[in-house]
Amino acid sequence: MLAAATGSWQLLQESIGVSAMHMQLLLNDRVVVYDRTDSGPSNLPLPKGKCFHDSNDTARVVDCTAHSAEYDVSSNKFRPLTVQTNFWCSSGAITPDGELVQTGGYKDGERNVRVFGPCSTCDWQEIKNGLAAKRWYSTNHILPDGRQIIVGGRVQFNYEFVPKNKAANTFHLPFLWETNDPKIENNLYPFVFLNVDGNLFIFANNRAILLDYMKNKVVKTYPTIPGGDPRSYPSTGSAVLLPLKNLKASTIEAEVLVCGGAPKGSYSQAIQGKFIGALNSCARILITDPNPQWVMETMPLARVMGDMILLPNLDVLIINGAASGSAGWEFGRNPVLCPVLYKPDNKIGARFFKQTPTTIPRMYHSTVILLRDGRILVGGSNPHMYYNFTGVLFPTELSLEAFSPHYLEAKFNC
């Protein structure tokens, strides 16, 4: 690891009123931010006449606060949005025409599909019972034909597609059952990437498969990550598909990088108030190799609940999270304030670079996205059941920051 603290931070908004459990950049350079609807009132009021009324919703019979917002990057302003059902730990993706499709969630949101269009006056539109199965902690991926595949979720060992076919079908995937721990469920929010051959790489717990989703057939089983520790929720690591390499005219190589997470038993120990140190390892695998093997690397900082994002210069940024504990309410400790840069083309031992630290802990339910100008938008962090700002280790965080990597320094200006 080479020590090179670079990059800079800017506080964009001290509070947007909503904690950014999820964020998505749209093609009009605006960011949709959204949170749970059952966390009590937010700090962002809805416009007059927009209050939510539902006598069947015990969490919020009457609610005059927003749980979603739209942030305009260019003007650094935001506006409240209205949403009818619970986003909590939902999943989504952008369609080819630029719409955000968000699926599933908790209780009244578990089978709903929500759509948000990229326009200055758009608001959430909901499709009730748009899913064939309840989806909570599932993963979405856009497919070449424009559909989305939705993989897994709480007690869902299957996948489905949106938009629906004529029949509301689910397709059984035994791999999700095989990687499930009934007490902990370390197969939630699986990592899903489209391979160059058109099949899906799906990682859950500590291993992965290659799935032909058209035939519902597993075409390859990958080795277990050395050490066997889980990497998916609640032992939450992170993963990226590295930039593709075209080594020959007819050959494209694809690699997946999985970093951080929590050792076996971390979640159970955290429930008892014991916070085990997070994993400091990354595992990298060439998924197109006929005989793929995981290659292990050591990060300069252990991290659970971290986020990873590809940068325009093909580097990877690892950011947010904690150095001990697990995902879940109050289960993380020792926030990792320092981002780390990973250069995939460097030699092993010279790939990690520490970056300038932030001053704001970003724990459970924090998020990052890459903006069009190359900055990284960072938001969220609410490790509590409700919005809580006093008397706690890590208060609910309503701010937005921007991290500017080294490539935005003045010396690189043309």
Side-chain angles (χ1 to χ4, degrees), residues 162-304:
V162 291
K164 287 180 181 178
N165 297 328
K166 291 183 179 179
N169 295 329
T170 62
F171 301 86
H172 185 54
L173 185 56
F175 170 74
L176 294 176
W177 171 260
E178 295 161 5
T179 53
N180 178 57
D181 183 328
K183 295 181 180 179
I184 302 173
E185 296 183 285
N186 267 317
N187 68 342
L188 299 179
Y189 273 144
F191 306 140
V192 181
F193 301 107
L194 185 68
N195 194 16
V196 295
D197 63 3
N199 296 314
L200 285 175
F201 175 89
I202 302 177
F203 179 101
N205 198 320
N206 56 17
R207 55 196 179 96
I209 59 171
L210 194 63
L211 175 71
D212 181 340
Y213 61 87
M214 299 294 288
K215 298 179 180 178
N216 192 25
K217 180 181 179 181
V218 175
V219 295
K220 183 180 289 186
T221 299
Y222 294 92
T224 300
I225 281 186
D229 285 313
R231 307 281 179 152
S232 46
Y233 184 93
S235 297
T236 305
S238 50
V240 291
L241 177 67
L242 292 173
L244 302 178
K245 296 179 180 178
N246 192 354
L247 300 182
K248 300 178 182 178
S250 59
T251 304
I252 299 177
E253 291 189 344
E255 290 182 279
V256 168
L257 178 70
V258 179
C259 289
K264 291 178 181 177
S266 293
Y267 182 79
S268 300
Q269 290 295 305
I271 292 174
Q272 301 174 38
K274 300 175 183 179
F275 305 99
I276 298 174
L279 298 173
N280 68 348
S281 60
C282 289
R284 181 168 165 174
I285 191 167
L286 183 62
I287 66 175
T288 49
D289 195 312
N291 183 31
Q293 300 295 322
W294 293 99
V295 176
M296 302 303 293
E297 301 180 61
T298 301
M299 296 188 291
L301 300 167
R303 198 180 304 252
V304 62

Side-chain angles (χ1 to χ4, degrees), residues 13-20 31-37 39-48 50-52 60 63-72 77-83 123-124 387 389 396-400:
Q13 290 286 346
E14 185 174 348
S15 172
I16 60 168
V18 174
S19 187
V31 176
V32 182
V33 177
Y34 36 113
D35 193 13
R36 298 166 58 201
T37 63
S39 55
S42 75
N43 285 22
L44 180 62
L46 287 168
K48 187 176 181 180
K50 290 284 189 177
C51 291
F52 176 86
R60 52 170 193 156
D63 188 355
C64 294
T65 63
H67 300 280
S68 180
E70 182 191 67
Y71 173 70
D72 187 333
K77 295 179 180 180
F78 57 94
R79 66 183 178 99
L81 301 174
T82 57
V83 64
D123 209 336
W124 287 103
Y387 282 19
F389 304 100
T396 300
E397 191 55 61
L398 306 180
S399 67
L400 289 181

